[in-house]
Amino acid sequence: GQSLEQPSEVTAVEGAIVQINCTYQTSGFYGLSWYQQHDGGAPTFLSYNALDGLEETGRFSSFLSRSDSYGYLLLQELQMKDSASYFCAVRRDGANNLFFGTGTRLTVIP
Amino acid sequence: DADVTQTPRNRITKTGKRIMLECSQTKGHDRMYWYRQDPGLGLRLIYYSFDVKDINKGEISDGYSVSRQAQAKFSLSLESAIPNQTALYFCATSDSPREGQFFGPGTRLTVL
């Protein structure tokens, strides 16, 4: 079977750091992506990791360990506007087809 | 103007009706996708297309069909809508995996 596991909900304080984990089990693996979706909005692309290690983009970083079938999204200096759902997604083949996790709802509190 | 547009944005229909959802993009991408989103289930791939002559089924294609009329246009049809097709539908385009997929604003479909 194929699965992507991520926590359903996370709550963190404004200004803090939060890590959202994702573990995967898929028939093929080319890379791990992260998407943000605000309530009522469309998913927006945050990051893509094809190789092991950390990728940093401003306040957001994403990490991948292929040997552990594990990745995470790290959000620093949390802001209220970061309250949203975050989805990890596996690229399973040579095309850019994605298999999405069920999402983590992040709530940032003052 | 938005890069990926979807029409209609909201639609209420009855069981058994034929429905078409349309997607247009100005990004010039060859790859286009249709997803369905249900609460608690994330996004699931219905169909994808790499060019006008290349259409492929995704995870949940039963009950759906698609048409790629041009590079910029990709339509999703429900031949005979049923209530469990009530969901939020997203169209997306992509070029490079490093740049991710670009999603339209979504169509909220309710089948009564």
Side-chain angles (χ1 to χ4, degrees):
Chain A
Q2 305 193 77
S3 66
L4 276 166
E5 293 189 10
Q6 51 181 130
S8 59
E9 296 182 347
V10 172
T11 299
V13 178
E14 188 177 17
I17 299 172
V18 71
Q19 179 174 312
I20 300 174
N21 298 321
C22 175
T23 57
Y24 59 87
Q25 181 181 355
T26 57
S27 56
F29 183 85
Y30 281 67
L32 186 70
S33 298
W34 288 91
Y35 285 78
Q36 178 191 62
Q37 185 180 28
H38 287 98
D39 285 347
T44 57
F45 172 72
L46 294 176
S47 68
Y48 175 70
N49 293 67
L51 302 175
D52 287 358
L54 191 68
E55 296 268 352
E56 299 180 65
T57 308
R59 294 187 297 113
F60 293 5
S61 303
S62 57
F63 173 82
L64 175 66
S65 169
R66 295 176 68 127
S67 60
D68 294 323
S69 298
Y70 164 75
Y72 67 72
L73 180 69
L74 191 72
L75 295 81
Q76 302 182 71
E77 301 173 12
L78 280 173
Q79 301 176 10
M80 299 300 291
K81 68 178 182 179
D82 296 330
S83 291
S85 292
Y86 293 84
F87 294 88
C88 59
V90 165
R91 179 187 171 209
R92 294 183 292 184
D93 53 32
N96 194 18
N97 294 335
L98 299 177
F99 178 69
F100 281 84
T102 54
T104 298
R105 186 172 185 87
L106 171 64
T107 301
V108 180
I109 58 176
Chain B
D1 288 343
D3 294 320
V4 184
T5 57
Q6 293 183 232
T7 56
R9 295 293 313 278
N10 289 281
R11 182 71 184 268
I12 300 174
T13 190
K14 295 181 179 180
T15 298
K17 295 292 187 180
R18 184 178 188 274
I19 297 296
M20 179 180 285
L21 309 183
E22 299 186 343
C23 176
S24 295
Q25 54 116 346
T26 59
K27 298 193 73 67
H29 292 164
D30 287 328
R31 296 173 179 177
M32 297 188 74
Y33 310 80
W34 274 105
Y35 290 93
R36 166 181 174 155
Q37 186 173 33
D38 297 276
L41 291 180
L43 292 108
R44 293 181 290 168
L45 183 63
I46 306 172
Y47 271 94
Y48 61 100
S49 169
F50 291 162
D51 64 39
V52 174
K53 298 180 181 179
D54 182 28
I55 304 288
N56 303 278
K57 293 182 178 180
E59 303 168 62
I60 54 164
S61 59
D62 287 349
Y64 302 95
S65 63
V66 292
S67 173
R68 185 81 183 265
Q69 300 94 326
Q71 187 208 34
K73 296 185 181 296
F74 193 34
S75 300
L76 176 72
S77 293
L78 288 68
E79 297 300 327
S80 179
I82 56 177
N84 75 2
Q85 292 178 313
T86 293
L88 187 55
Y89 290 85
F90 286 103
C91 172
T93 75
S94 78
D95 182 16
S96 162
R98 286 214 151 272
E99 297 176 355
Q101 294 189 5
F102 296 85
F103 284 79
T107 295
R108 186 168 297 280
L109 177 66
T110 302
V111 183
L112 302 177

